[in-house]
Amino acid sequence: MLFWMLAFLILCGFLWHYKGQLKITDITDKYIFITGCDTGFGNLAARTFDKKGFHVIAACLTESGSTALKEETSERLHTVLLDVTDPESVKRTAQWVKIQAGEKGLWGLINNAGVLGVLAPTDWLTVEDYREPIEVNLFGLISVTLNMLPLVKKARGRIINVSSIGGRLAFSGGGYAPSKYAVEAFNDSLRRDMKAFDVHVACIEPGLFKTDLSDPVKTTERKLTIWKHLSPDIKQQYGEGYIEKSLDKLKGTTSLVNMDLSLVVECMDHALTSLFPKTHYASGKDAKTFWIPLSHMPAVLQDFLLLKQKVELANPKAV
């Protein structure tokens, strides 16, 4: 009996793996639109899917990013300047994409554009510190999706939203994690709403990757700027050496940082081309072995492990 159960499980595993390998055909007649292509995941995705034969429309925030991308890709790839927080810019881009894609519609929409914002203790921050990441990561993503949705429905295509492990576990104060939690909720409701139209919606949850988004120098500079404007009371509570000690703590987590950006692009590729795409993709060794499992654990365990990485305050009772 045990033998047959084991054989059945092995067969199920084989069939599950085989199903995941089945791909769509006729890639060369399909259009995909990717946001945030200046650098990082979006840039690599644009170059990768261009080589595969897709008609890639890559949205960049800067002229320099657009120019550099065009120099590295084929004539098939088109770039467009887009600020996802500007409703008029999004509307104009959607109209332009409609002309480019024509009757075929848009097979793939990859919402990748995002910013980190300020990562700092909550009592250091103002509402304005939360605004930028929420405007870009959430409202920008929703705006692009709503404007491109008719084109994706026409093609019965795919929507891929790049979230983060920060959408499963809030590892720091600031607007980044709240924006990504909200992206997860929007993704789930959109996925259910689009099932009737044969549009598949997937969410990618990258772990910690070495990109411009997570540049430790820029992150520290922003934190230092906020520190200079804090009240004397808060500075006394945290202590003058708080930021330096925090940096020392971060050095111990460098082993968790993924260097290979293609891990995320491979998830995008599967979500775009598989006949049986997944609904969620965890990307990066840290996401799969630490962050995602921890997000399912009791809050007391989450707090214990995450607080171990925080610096002890100098005088928290000085209030």
Side-chain angles (χ1 to χ4, degrees):
M1 181 66 180
L2 184 61
F3 171 79
W4 290 112
M5 287 180 63
L6 183 61
F8 177 72
L9 290 174
I10 292 173
L11 177 62
C12 288
F14 172 78
L15 292 175
W16 183 264
H17 176 75
Y18 175 74
K19 186 179 80 166
Q21 302 304 308
L22 298 176
K23 301 285 186 180
I24 63 170
T25 57
D26 301 325
I27 281 177
T28 54
D29 69 348
K30 288 179 168 54
Y31 285 79
I32 61 174
F33 180 80
I34 312 171
T35 64
C37 293
D38 297 77
T39 60
F41 303 137
N43 185 276
L44 180 58
R47 290 185 281 118
T48 300
F49 295 131
D50 175 56
K51 288 178 182 177
K52 283 181 174 288
F54 280 105
H55 291 274
V56 176
I57 302 175
C60 297
L61 180 62
T62 65
E63 189 70 56
S64 58
S66 172
T67 301
L69 181 58
K70 282 191 284 190
E71 289 174 353
E72 298 182 51
T73 51
S74 74
E75 294 181 356
R76 214 175 26 248
L77 182 142
H78 294 279
T79 62
V80 60
L81 295 181
L82 173 65
D83 178 354
V84 298
T85 66
D86 180 352
E88 289 305 314
S89 176
V90 174
K91 287 179 182 178
R92 285 195 304 271
T93 300
Q95 288 300 316
W96 183 78
V97 171
K98 182 178 180 180
I99 294 170
Q100 295 295 315
E103 289 302 313
K104 293 183 180 299
L106 194 61
W107 172 255
L109 167 61
I110 303 178
N111 284 309
N112 167 74
V115 297
L116 192 62
V118 179
L119 298 182
T122 304
D123 52 347
W124 293 20
L125 304 175
T126 66
V127 171
E128 291 306 313
D129 294 317
Y130 283 82
R131 198 174 302 281
E132 182 195 17
I134 291 175
E135 285 287 349
V136 175
N137 302 347
L138 176 61
F139 290 124
L141 180 148
I142 293 174
S143 177
V144 171
T145 301
L146 295 180
N147 279 274
M148 298 291 180
L149 206 49
L151 299 177
V152 181
K153 287 166 70 176
K154 176 176 283 192
R156 296 184 177 179
R158 312 280 172 88
I159 298 174
I160 302 163
N161 295 313
V162 180
S163 179
S164 165
I165 50 93
R168 298 289 292 270
L169 205 58
F171 52 80
S172 177
Y176 184 75
S179 73
K180 292 301 185 178
Y181 266 78
V183 165
E184 297 270 351
F186 175 73
N187 181 86
D188 287 350
S189 61
L190 179 67
R191 185 182 68 247
R192 296 174 188 122
D193 289 341
M194 289 298 105
K195 277 189 178 294
F197 301 98
D198 290 331
V199 171
H200 186 274
V201 179
C203 184
I204 299 178
E205 299 163 336
L208 305 178
F209 280 82
K210 186 175 176 58
T211 65
D212 286 353
L213 183 76
S214 58
D215 186 340
V217 175
K218 294 178 182 177
T219 302
T220 304
E221 286 176 351
R222 299 188 76 169
K223 193 178 288 188
L224 283 168
T225 300
I226 289 178
W227 173 267
K228 292 175 183 176
H229 295 91
L230 291 178
S231 69
D233 286 347
I234 291 182
K235 287 184 177 180
Q236 184 182 356
Q237 292 159 19
Y238 281 84
E240 286 295 334
Y242 180 83
I243 292 180
E244 290 74 12
K245 291 175 183 176
S246 297
L247 288 174
D248 289 338
K249 282 273 190 180
L250 282 174
K251 289 176 183 176
T253 63
T254 52
S255 60
L256 291 174
V257 177
N258 302 279
M259 308 299 288
D260 185 5
L261 304 190
S262 68
L263 295 174
V264 175
V265 177
E266 286 170 6
C267 294
M268 294 177 181
D269 182 39
H270 190 273
L272 271 181
T273 64
S274 174
L275 285 178
F276 301 96
K278 301 176 183 178
T279 57
H280 289 81
Y281 295 83
S283 182
K285 58 186 178 183
D286 61 320
K288 294 177 179 179
T289 62
F290 180 72
W291 297 109
I292 300 297
L294 184 60
S295 72
H296 296 288
M297 300 294 177
V300 64
L301 181 59
Q302 294 176 2
D303 293 351
F304 173 75
L305 291 175
L306 294 181
L307 285 172
K308 282 184 69 176
Q309 302 304 316
K310 290 187 176 291
V311 176
E312 187 176 345
L313 273 61
N315 190 6
K317 294 183 179 180
V319 293

